[in-house]
């Protein structure tokens, strides 16, 4: 797959988007509240020297504030790594390699600021160095912030590469509410698709194919109704409308690590299903717009 463009920063070529195409500590700041305690999360993780990783857009949205907060708290920081925002930065493995080498030279823990692309780049680059990292979310554009694995294109093929989830996640709902509307629309799409996915799981459970895991179900489905319950508020960019969405956008990576495989549960694991009537009611209640 050919890329639209490649662009230089400090003598390095970064890939742009191709044409046509439970270990995590979280902190969330409610609408209109004080700034999130970025430095507090950093201290709680017992992280050493840090470096803020952003692109031109996310640096202005939150990166500069994160940098200032960490510095004021006495966290030792390297110079921020601000990648080009135009053309659109792409989650390509070549970018992972470039970021990995920058982090290696700095011997610092990454604090990435952005949404899916920057999260995945920092996630895999950090994993390949044997380090943890933290992430500051700037848009409700997808539901994989806490996921194990990074969606990276390598040699023209998109694939999920195994790596650890961020050790810390921070969200400022005022920042998220100001993100472009198309970002929110993308994230809402990720949430809405969980409705038929849940119905599929109910059917699989009833047929004895894939037992429902209570913990995974609650993480993926428990906050779904509230998350999409104020579409007008999400479209209007009202920060309070995103409060119910934060758990739904930040937690779905966790149940993927805890579900029972299709070939059966480990010996001794309780896989008793929820009461059939309960899930049947759930499915019927969500079959209507």
């Amino acid at each position: 797959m050919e890329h639209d463009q490649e662009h230089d920063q400090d003598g390095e070529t970064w890939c742009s988007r191709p044409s046509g195409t439970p270990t995590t500590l979280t902190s969330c700041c409610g609408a209109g509240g004080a700034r999130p305690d970025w430095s507090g999360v950093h201290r709680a993780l017992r992280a050493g020297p840090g470096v803020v990783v952003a692109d031109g857009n996310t640096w202005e949205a939150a990166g500069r504030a994160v940098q200032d907060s960490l510095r004021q708290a006495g966290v030792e920081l390297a110079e921020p790594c601000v990648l080009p925002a135009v053309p659109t930065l792409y989650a390509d493995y070549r970018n992972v390699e470039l970021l990995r080498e920058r982090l290696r030279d700095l011997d610092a823990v990454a604090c990435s600021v952005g949404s899916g692309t920057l999260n995945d780049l920092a996630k895999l680059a950090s994993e390949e160095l044997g380090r943890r990292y933290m992430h500051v979310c700037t848009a409700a554009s997808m539901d994989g912030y806490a996921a194990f694995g990074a969606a990276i294109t390598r040699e023209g093929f998109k694939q999920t590469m195994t790596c650890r989830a961020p050790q810390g996640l921070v969200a400022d709902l005022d920042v998220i509410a100001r993100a472009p509307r198309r970002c929110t629309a993308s994230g809402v799409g990720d949430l809405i698709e969980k409705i038929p996915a849940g119905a599929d799981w109910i059917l699989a459970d009833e047929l004895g194919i894939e037992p429902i895991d209570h913990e995974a179900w609650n993480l993926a489905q428990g906050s779904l109704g509230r998350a999409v319950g104020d579409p007008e508020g999400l479209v209007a960019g009202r920060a309070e409308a995103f409060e119910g969405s934060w758990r739904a956008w930040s937690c779905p990576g966790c149940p993927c690590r805890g579900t029972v495989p299709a070939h059966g549960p480990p010996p001794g694991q309780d896989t008793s299903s929820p009461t059939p009537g309960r899930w049947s009611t759930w499915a019927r209640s969500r079959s209507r717009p």
Side-chain angles (χ1 to χ4, degrees):
M1 182 181 295
E2 296 298 323
H3 290 79
D4 283 338
Q5 300 182 53
E6 295 181 347
H7 43 288
D8 294 329
Q9 185 201 32
D10 300 334
E12 295 171 338
T13 301
W14 296 82
C15 303
S16 60
R17 184 174 301 278
S19 45
T21 55
T23 54
T24 300
L25 173 66
T26 63
S27 174
C28 180
C29 176
R35 310 318 305 164
D37 187 10
W38 293 299
S39 58
V41 173
H42 188 277
R43 288 192 301 271
L45 301 179
R46 297 182 176 88
V51 56
V52 174
V53 179
D55 67 19
N57 293 328
T58 63
W59 173 256
E60 296 301 328
R64 193 187 307 276
V66 172
Q67 175 92 354
D68 292 345
S69 173
L70 293 173
R71 183 166 285 153
Q72 290 168 11
V75 176
E76 183 182 347
L77 290 176
E79 284 299 306
C81 178
V82 183
L83 310 178
V86 180
T88 303
L89 189 68
Y90 188 58
D92 187 276
Y93 188 70
R94 286 176 288 178
N95 288 340
V96 172
E97 293 176 313
L98 290 170
L99 180 57
R100 181 191 65 210
E101 296 312 306
R102 283 202 180 190
L103 295 176
R104 189 198 306 277
D105 292 342
L106 294 172
D107 192 25
V109 174
C111 175
S112 50
V113 181
S115 54
T117 295
L118 280 156
N119 186 29
D120 283 348
L121 291 175
K123 185 185 300 184
L124 187 55
S126 298
E127 180 70 18
E128 292 187 352
L129 293 171
R131 303 176 189 172
R132 303 305 299 271
Y133 80 108
M134 64 178 286
H135 184 77
V136 177
C137 313
T138 59
S141 55
M142 53 93 198
D143 64 351
Y145 280 116
F148 267 41
I152 301 292
T153 295
R154 187 171 189 176
E155 297 178 353
F157 294 94
K158 193 83 165 184
Q159 52 192 291
T160 299
M161 298 187 176
T162 301
C163 48
R164 290 172 293 179
Q167 195 170 11
L169 273 180
V170 183
D172 182 337
L173 297 182
D174 289 324
V175 170
I176 288 175
R178 290 195 295 269
R181 190 177 299 177
R182 57 181 171 78
C183 295
T184 302
S186 176
V188 169
D190 275 4
L191 298 185
I192 291 176
E193 70 185 13
K194 288 176 173 46
I195 297 174
D200 283 349
W201 201 359
I202 294 168
L203 291 174
D205 178 77
E206 293 287 340
L207 295 172
I209 298 170
E210 186 78 50
I212 289 176
D213 180 278
H214 294 269
E215 183 179 4
W217 179 276
N218 288 334
L219 281 170
Q221 303 284 343
S223 58
L224 185 56
R226 185 182 176 200
V228 296
D230 184 9
E232 293 85 0
L234 296 176
V235 170
R238 293 196 293 268
E240 60 272 14
F242 289 82
E243 291 194 52
S245 308
W246 165 244
R247 185 172 183 270
W249 270 304
S250 63
C251 290
C254 302
C256 295
R257 307 197 295 273
T259 53
V260 179
H263 56 71
Q269 179 173 324
D270 178 15
T271 60
S272 55
S273 302
T275 304
R278 176 184 174 191
W279 300 127
S280 299
T281 301
W282 181 93
R284 287 196 301 271
S285 68
R286 284 156 178 78
S287 64
R288 306 181 185 89

